[in-house]
Amino acid sequence: MTTSFRSPAGAATVFSTDQKIRVGILHSLRSSRTVFLGRNVFVGVHSLPPSSSSPSSIQAVSTPAKPEAAKPTKRSKVEIIKEKSNFIRYPLNEELLTESPNVNESAVQLIKFHGSYQQYNREERGGRSYSFMLRTKNPSGKVPNQLYLTMDDLADEFGIGTLRLTTRQTFQLHGVLKHNLKTVMSSIIKNMGSTLGACGDLNRNVLAPAAPYAKKDYLFAQETADNIAALLSPQSGFYYDMWVDGEQFMTAEAPEVVEARNDNSHGTNFVDSPEPIYGTQFLPRKFKIAVTVPTDNSVDLLTNDIGVVVVSDENGEPQGFNIYVGGGMGRTHRMESTFARIAEPLGYVPKEDILYAVKAIVVTQREHGRRDDRKYSRMKYLLSSWGIEKFRDVVEQYYGKKFEPPRDLPEWEFKSYLGWHEQGDGALFCGLHVDSGRVGGNMKKTLREVIEKYRLDVRITPNQNIVLCDIKSEWKRSITTVLAQAGLLQPEFVDPLNQTAMACPAFPLCPLAITEAERGIPSILKRVRAMFEKVGLEFDESVVVRVTGCPNGCARPYMAEVGLVGDGPNSYQVWLGGTPNQTQIARAFMDKVKIQDLEKVFEPLFYNWKLGRQAKESFGEFTTRMGFEKLKELISTYEGSPQ
């Protein structure tokens, strides 16, 4: 390992008010001009090349020596905020010092990069009670014992008394007041945690299977997730400047991470910039990566901008990776030009090249992703516009090599890791189902007691559940008993519908919510179970149900067999056709289905699935085979199931 010191204080002094600097930013590779940003910071500004530019036009991304005239390119408001921010500092640093309970519009955008969203309770009348949601960054969902206990304490002292486990293997802490932000952030940093890059236009938390198996492929997948997260972590020190006064924190990075970050042999880096990969503009939008092993689709691999799969030889030794690109869930209602998309194969790389390949993909999106309209700024739109062949050609120029054909892989499975399992090193792990990831009340108290008493590390799963790790076999009985008394049951006692269901928080704090999700899904699942019983489906039969309060897709509803996407007050757009192993995207089936009318839609479908399904055919596969026209006919002619 190479030990390096991140020195935010040193980085900050580069931008003192008596100095002028010139750094490259990301608006083009071909022309530049110098623009005064205020506060004595000068930045080289570039204009984005048109999307039709040929791959052969790609040049090094450092500022050309001879500026050329360039037509100004339209940019979104957020791009201008980033440009003027002095690497995500200004005006957030000033806004945090005011007496106001909130921050201004520019600071709202910048604080996302620090891992926080400004929110208010939308159900309160007579004014807005502002607070902040904090999201941690935990590659592979790993949470050290010390950090878990810290988050538990912070939720009680500064939050709303609950912790939320997210669909990207992190914590969300709601209800933090502005004047407490620095205390909470610094506590997380000083207790083995971080919120840096959990939100904002950069690489988010890197997913990997949460199971702590002592298997070569699982360990290699998790190590790779850690290295990718380190590679794409911001380097300019703005986070530590803001929350721990520039205090130095020692971080240990693998030498291959440092080497890959610094390598500029194919024009990927901004030379002499505090952000060699991101520059001043970072990425056009959020960027999501998942790493896994063959068969294990616990990470919803195909919903990510980049999906990485370990490929091993016949002896189980990891040799390289298949790479998939272009997934993404967010869309906008009644705007068909926005869409959910699953990733497609890009190729195979040997294991020693994975960081360079990932960096090349990120740089391709950085340089060519749209920065004028944020609705179309995710990498999936670049893939859709270019096609995979052109995309591969451009990435290969930044990578410096040709991708090999992807290796054949076995079928994918969804793996929840609920219940007790052997780790393979003599210890056990226990996966616990948590409805919608909300840890509160007696459950929270009991989890704290168990984790503290036995000094357990934990993992958060991409399905909003929690895994207790490194448990000695002699502890199993007592831990099982204590957890059950708090409602944390073994999977055989949890409804299969609940085990695979997910929902986003939605009301009352999410500013984008149109209707209920987390608060509504318990009732929805009970009604689905009642419909199952009415039409004669067995208890061990299930469908994947996911609910979101808006079309942004945080709970990945477009991969569900039954996706309910808020499209009005107490109203949902119904999506059908996903599969239990999350390998097929669903399609919009009906709009504006009122919550009270769910039985009118789903009871006929469940009844006909029971009668007409083929051997082992899932509900999602059944709806795809039947076709939507036939399904609507079944609904309109349904007269009720025989009692």
Side-chain angles (χ1 to χ4, degrees), residues 77-78 81-82 88 92 103-114 116-117 199-201 374:
K77 185 185 299 184
V78 176
I81 291 171
K82 288 187 288 186
I88 319 299
L92 176 60
V103 297
N104 67 19
E105 182 180 357
S106 294
V108 165
Q109 297 302 324
L110 297 180
I111 201 169
K112 295 176 184 179
F113 290 77
H114 297 257
S116 181
Y117 285 91
C199 321
D201 297 344
R374 290 175 67 81

Side-chain angles (χ1 to χ4, degrees), residues 53 73 450 474 578:
S53 61
T73 301
V450 170
E474 57 265 31

Side-chain angles (χ1 to χ4, degrees), residues 145 449-457 470 475 478-479:
N145 177 269
E449 291 172 352
V450 170
I451 291 168
E452 188 170 30
K453 177 179 179 180
Y454 296 99
R455 299 181 181 178
L456 303 178
D457 293 337
D470 303 317
W475 300 343
S478 59
I479 288 177

Side-chain angles (χ1 to χ4, degrees), residues 142-151 191-192 448 450-458:
K142 296 178 182 177
V143 183
N145 177 269
Q146 179 180 339
L147 178 60
Y148 185 92
L149 299 179
T150 298
M151 296 301 298
N191 286 279
M192 306 175 68
R448 164 68 183 245
V450 170
I451 291 168
E452 188 170 30
K453 177 179 179 180
Y454 296 99
R455 299 181 181 178
L456 303 178
D457 293 337
V458 307

Side-chain angles (χ1 to χ4, degrees), residues 359-430:
K359 181 180 176 183
I361 297 167
V362 169
V363 170
T364 299
Q365 163 66 355
R366 182 193 76 191
E367 293 300 309
H368 297 281
R370 288 182 60 172
R371 294 180 181 267
D372 60 327
D373 189 335
R374 290 175 67 81
K375 289 192 299 295
Y376 306 106
S377 292
R378 290 291 299 277
M379 195 173 77
K380 64 182 177 181
Y381 296 109
L382 185 61
L383 262 294
S384 181
S385 172
W386 280 5
I388 189 65
E389 296 301 328
K390 177 177 178 179
F391 185 85
R392 184 184 293 112
D393 287 345
V394 175
V395 172
E396 285 174 344
Q397 295 191 45
Y398 289 122
Y399 174 37
K401 298 181 181 180
K402 292 287 187 182
F403 288 100
E404 298 177 36
R407 305 302 193 251
D408 291 336
L409 296 175
E411 288 294 314
W412 292 105
E413 302 173 20
F414 168 72
K415 299 188 178 185
S416 70
Y417 300 115
L418 298 179
W420 288 93
H421 304 266
E422 294 184 358
Q423 293 182 177
D425 58 1
L428 304 173
F429 73 86
C430 182

